[in-house]
Amino acid sequence: MTEPGRSGPAEGSIALLAANWPRVDDGLQIRAGGAVAVDTATLSATALRFDAVRDELAEIGERLRGLQAALAGLTGCGGDAGASASVLATKLDEARAEGDAIARALRDAARAYEMVDLQAEHRAAVLAGDGDRAARLDARLTAMAEEHPDAWRMALGAEFGHAVMWPSELVRQATQWGTVIGDGFGDPGAIVGGAGAGVLTLGAATVVGLAGTGRLARDARLSGSSGPVTVTPVTPAAPGSAAPQSLAGVTERIPGGGDSRVRVERYTMPDGSRQYAVYIAGMQSFALGGDDPWDDESNLQLYSGETSDSYAATEAALAAAGVQSGDAVHVFGFSQGAMIGAHLALQGDYDTRTLVSIGSPVDADVGSGTLSVSLRHTDDPVAGLAGGGHEEAVGAAGSFVAERVSDPASDLEDARLPAHRLAAYAETAALVDASSDPRVDGLRAVFDTLGEAEAVEITEYAATRGDG
């Protein structure tokens, strides 16, 4: 969670609220995404509950003062009771004052987060050329900032914190690479070379991420053409004759390491309708062109907004599996596969109900009809290309971002990107599955719904460039 209390009043109360959010351990953080990680309606409702408690305390205090007055003239046990009543009245006043402070802090936080949302809407209106809407939002923001200056400072702090602090782990590890690591590296040249590679890998991801290329607007569309590509059914490598029941189970079904690049599962629901899940592999080749579309050329094309052969192959696989325009689709992708999934959700003709992005170089502003779930490692330079994601939360209600530091050590192994391995993200997925955070319930509901399917058909596809 962004730490809004650093830039506003009653920061201890807000910090306490953040500290009490459910999480699996001190490493995993689950948040709503963006600079705003709190539901403003929940904050306002909580403030009202504190108001109610304050009023109850005030009523008790009035009764207690009446009791004090009745005991004032008594001696002996009556005097002791009067003294106790006085002490209790003081404590009640202190509790009421603390409740007032917390309620004010909650309201300031709610206003601050509302201002962040308004700023995001204002930017969108400006980019869309909607001058009238931009002017109305600007006037509203100005009025709120004048009426609530503390909340305005908190809003600016939240956005600044999101913009500046997201690459902190990448920067830390990049700057520590020059340290001699253990006894097994006696060649100074190798150490210096490895350190340079680490700085380039981790630091470059930070620089590119800051450019904002990895933040995809809702109207982002791939340009150009691709292909031809050929997709061929292959024997499914991943287990399962039913829908996945966990996020960790999803990671087991994402192709990679064999011929398969796309896995499609078709679910026949009890009412006769059909839903589909597609699992898309990450990059499989460092080549810039060749037989395999899942290469670095496709990485560069997708990240720069161009149609890749791997994207075309994924669409071809969906068509081969019988997916048609308007069908309900749940998309699960890793790395390059997550970029493909993001564009399927943004520009595909499907009813994309779920988008799970694992180690994605981009963050897509999908609409309110798509549940968006992102797994990110803060020390993963590939995920760092997304620039920390959007400043506002994206996706349907219940969408969330789960992130942690996967490999905190700074050593030569970082050149092999251990934090970006699917196995590392599988561990994070298991932590999310074990979490008691209520934000995970929306994703669990997706698994529960798919688990009701009366029949499941699974097809996996290999892909090659060319017409076969």
Side-chain angles (χ1 to χ4, degrees), residues 179-207:
T179 304
V180 177
I181 315 158
D183 299 329
F185 304 96
D187 182 357
I191 295 173
V192 173
V199 171
L200 287 174
T201 301
L202 302 176
T206 301
V207 173

Side-chain angles (χ1 to χ4, degrees), residues 54-98:
R54 176 201 59 200
D55 293 342
E56 290 177 6
L57 290 175
E59 183 179 347
I60 294 172
E62 287 296 326
R63 295 177 182 176
L64 196 57
R65 276 186 282 275
L67 179 61
Q68 283 181 271
L71 296 173
L74 301 179
T75 60
C77 293
D80 292 340
S84 298
S86 178
V87 171
L88 181 56
T90 300
K91 291 185 179 296
L92 283 173
D93 288 339
E94 292 173 352
R96 188 174 59 187
E98 184 175 358

Side-chain angles (χ1 to χ4, degrees), residues 147-172:
E147 186 176 357
H148 307 289
D150 288 338
W152 175 239
R153 284 192 290 272
M154 190 184 297
L156 294 177
E159 288 202 326
F160 179 79
H162 177 263
V164 173
M165 294 306 295
W166 70 261
S168 58
E169 183 61 25
L170 289 173
V171 172
R172 181 190 72 80

Side-chain angles (χ1 to χ4, degrees), residues 333-362:
F334 167 61
S335 193
Q336 183 179 138
M339 281 199 289
I340 295 170
H343 284 287
L344 285 175
L346 290 173
Q347 69 186 64
D349 293 329
Y350 317 108
D351 175 14
T352 306
R353 298 185 181 180
T354 310
L355 173 64
V356 174
S357 305
I358 302 174
S360 179
V362 300

Side-chain angles (χ1 to χ4, degrees), residues 396-443:
S399 297
F400 66 89
V401 175
E403 60 186 14
R404 69 182 180 107
V405 179
S406 172
D407 183 33
S410 298
D411 52 36
L412 295 180
E413 176 66 15
D414 286 349
R416 301 175 65 181
L417 307 186
H420 187 61
R421 294 170 183 162
L422 183 56
Y425 276 108
E427 295 175 1
T428 303
L431 291 175
V432 174
D433 289 333
S435 173
S436 60
D437 194 306
R439 278 165 290 205
V440 185
D441 291 344
L443 182 60

Side-chain angles (χ1 to χ4, degrees), residues 49-295:
R49 288 197 290 271
F50 272 100
D51 289 341
V53 172
R54 176 201 59 200
D55 293 342
E56 290 177 6
L57 290 175
E59 183 179 347
I60 294 172
E62 287 296 326
R63 295 177 182 176
L64 196 57
R65 276 186 282 275
L67 179 61
Q68 283 181 271
L71 296 173
L74 301 179
T75 60
C77 293
D80 292 340
S84 298
S86 178
V87 171
L88 181 56
T90 300
K91 291 185 179 296
L92 283 173
D93 288 339
E94 292 173 352
R96 188 174 59 187
E98 184 175 358
D100 276 338
I102 293 175
R104 285 195 301 272
L106 290 168
R107 288 194 173 91
D108 280 341
R111 294 187 189 106
Y113 298 148
E114 182 181 357
M115 290 181 192
V116 172
D117 283 339
L118 287 174
Q119 290 198 91
E121 291 180 37
H122 180 266
R123 284 191 294 270
V126 171
L127 291 174
D130 190 344
D132 291 340
R133 177 170 172 76
R136 290 194 301 271
L137 291 168
D138 184 62
R140 185 177 172 188
L141 266 171
T142 300
M144 289 189 69
E146 291 176 351
E147 186 176 357
H148 307 289
D150 288 338
W152 175 239
R153 284 192 290 272
M154 190 184 297
L156 294 177
E159 288 202 326
F160 179 79
H162 177 263
V164 173
M165 294 306 295
W166 70 261
S168 58
E169 183 61 25
L170 289 173
V171 172
R172 181 190 72 80
Q173 293 197 20
T175 55
Q176 289 183 0
W177 262 62
T179 304
V180 177
I181 315 158
D183 299 329
F185 304 96
D187 182 357
I191 295 173
V192 173
V199 171
L200 287 174
T201 301
L202 302 176
T206 301
V207 173
V208 175
L210 286 170
T213 308
R215 293 189 287 271
L216 302 180
R218 193 167 298 182
D219 60 354
R221 298 293 183 269
L222 293 171
S223 63
S225 59
S226 62
V229 293
T230 301
V231 295
T232 308
V234 295
T235 302
S241 58
Q245 292 301 296
S246 67
L247 196 53
V250 164
T251 64
E252 295 177 356
R253 299 177 187 224
I254 292 177
D259 293 332
S260 176
R261 297 292 177 265
V262 181
R263 175 185 174 104
V264 182
E265 297 176 350
R266 181 170 69 180
Y267 308 102
T268 302
M269 309 306 292
D271 62 358
S273 65
R274 288 176 175 173
Q275 297 188 30
Y276 296 85
V278 57
Y279 307 81
I280 313 169
M283 185 187 75
Q284 299 297 309
S285 169
F286 285 101
L288 293 172
D291 290 339
D292 194 338
W294 266 258
D295 63 356

